[in-house]
Amino acid sequence: MTAADSVFAPDPRIAADSAFLIDLALCQARVMDDVRFPWLVLLPRRAGLVELTDLSGPERAALMEEATLCSQALNASVPCDKINIGALGNVVPQLHLHVVARTRGDAAWPGPVWGSGPAIPYAPGALATLTEKLVEQLGAAP
Amino acid sequence: MTAADSVFAPDPRIAADSAFLIDLALCQARVMDDVRFPWLVLLPRRAGLVELTDLSGPERAALMEEATLCSQALNASVPCDKINIGALGNVVPQLHLHVVARTRGDAAWPGPVWGSGPAIPYAPGALATLTEKLVEQLGAAP
């Protein structure tokens, strides 16, 4: 293991496409800068993770509960007909879990958000406003 | 709640696209009849479920562990560069979790399997052979 492997940091592609939201017990939560979909990404804060099988059972359970918290925060903050959850990692191998609020008729509905074309960044200030709402919800979670 | 709501059965669309694999502690595991991707679907055997938040915390943890078992069974049975996991439900609302073995250069790589075009059914006998392999792996799991 090299020094670079031993310290958690979000993959540069994820970091470039998203903004820091909050550190939960296991994961760093980030929000994608894509106005088409209210979209969170959870990254377990441990270096070298790729598959869910790289986590322990209790860590997987914690990841699931943090995904549930994110679902509830999205539901309380934005219009939402369905939550989509996915762990793909075909492009960015670093283990990350997507939690996305979908609405009927959104830019990819009913297809998946992944591979649905380039992101459309939020207008200035709008991402910060969403982030504040979500942090308020997540910070208030038990 | 009507009688139809109170008994678990796979959604007819999922049932038509897949074959029964095994009943795990929480979920019915099914295998999609699509030779492009070795692809399992987990359905918690309770009626009326839509979102992960419809499960209790322990049930979510159990679902995660059954997804892990399916990942391991796929890894042991078929070529696999990456496991993809997803709970979408935009088309079929009944709660179900996809566990898919991906290989670099497969029919949708690196995009998602969902929305990647029509399934290509296995040749006669091939789905049964895969099912046997997977049941052997899943049946042997602790």
Side-chain angles (χ1 to χ4, degrees):
Chain A
M1 186 182 272
T2 67
D5 289 331
S6 63
V7 177
F8 167 79
D11 180 276
R13 285 160 290 190
I14 293 177
D17 293 343
S18 63
F20 176 83
L21 189 60
I22 194 170
D23 274 339
L24 301 170
L26 177 67
C27 295
Q28 179 171 121
R30 304 184 62 90
V31 56
M32 294 288 279
D33 188 12
D34 189 344
V35 74
R36 300 175 305 162
F37 316 105
W39 177 347
L40 305 188
V41 178
L42 284 171
L43 297 116
R45 291 196 312 280
R46 194 140 65 73
L49 301 173
V50 175
E51 297 282 1
L52 288 171
T53 47
D54 296 335
L55 296 174
S56 68
E59 286 172 328
R60 279 192 292 271
L63 175 62
M64 194 60 130
E65 290 315 288
E66 294 184 3
T68 301
L69 289 177
C70 288
S71 302
Q72 291 165 334
L74 284 167
N75 254 310
S77 305
V78 297
C80 178
D81 294 319
K82 187 73 192 68
I83 293 288
N84 287 182
I85 287 178
L88 288 86
N90 305 338
V91 178
V92 174
Q94 181 182 46
L95 181 60
H96 59 287
L97 185 69
H98 304 271
V99 184
V100 192
R102 304 299 305 274
T103 47
R104 286 181 192 86
D106 71 24
W109 187 267
V113 296
W114 311 287
S116 68
I120 300 176
Y122 284 88
L127 185 59
T129 303
L130 174 60
T131 298
E132 274 168 38
K133 274 193 209 174
L134 290 167
V135 165
E136 194 175 325
Q137 293 293 330
L138 288 167
Chain B
M1 184 181 275
T2 67
D5 289 332
S6 63
V7 177
F8 166 79
D11 180 276
R13 286 160 291 191
I14 293 178
D17 293 343
S18 63
F20 175 83
L21 190 61
I22 194 170
D23 274 338
L24 300 169
L26 177 66
C27 296
Q28 178 170 122
R30 303 183 64 89
V31 55
M32 295 288 279
D33 188 11
D34 188 344
V35 74
R36 300 175 305 162
F37 316 105
W39 178 346
L40 304 189
V41 178
L42 284 171
L43 298 116
R45 291 196 311 279
R46 194 140 64 75
L49 301 172
V50 175
E51 296 282 1
L52 288 170
T53 47
D54 296 335
L55 296 174
S56 68
E59 286 172 328
R60 279 192 292 272
L63 175 61
M64 194 60 130
E65 289 316 289
E66 294 185 0
T68 301
L69 289 178
C70 287
S71 302
Q72 291 165 333
L74 284 167
N75 254 310
S77 305
V78 297
C80 177
D81 293 320
K82 186 74 192 71
I83 294 288
N84 287 182
I85 286 177
L88 288 84
N90 304 338
V91 177
V92 174
Q94 181 183 47
L95 180 61
H96 59 287
L97 185 69
H98 303 272
V99 184
V100 192
R102 305 297 307 272
T103 46
R104 287 183 193 87
D106 71 26
W109 187 267
V113 296
W114 310 287
S116 68
I120 300 177
Y122 284 88
L127 185 58
T129 303
L130 175 60
T131 298
E132 275 169 36
K133 274 192 208 175
L134 291 167
V135 165
E136 193 175 327
Q137 293 293 328
L138 288 167

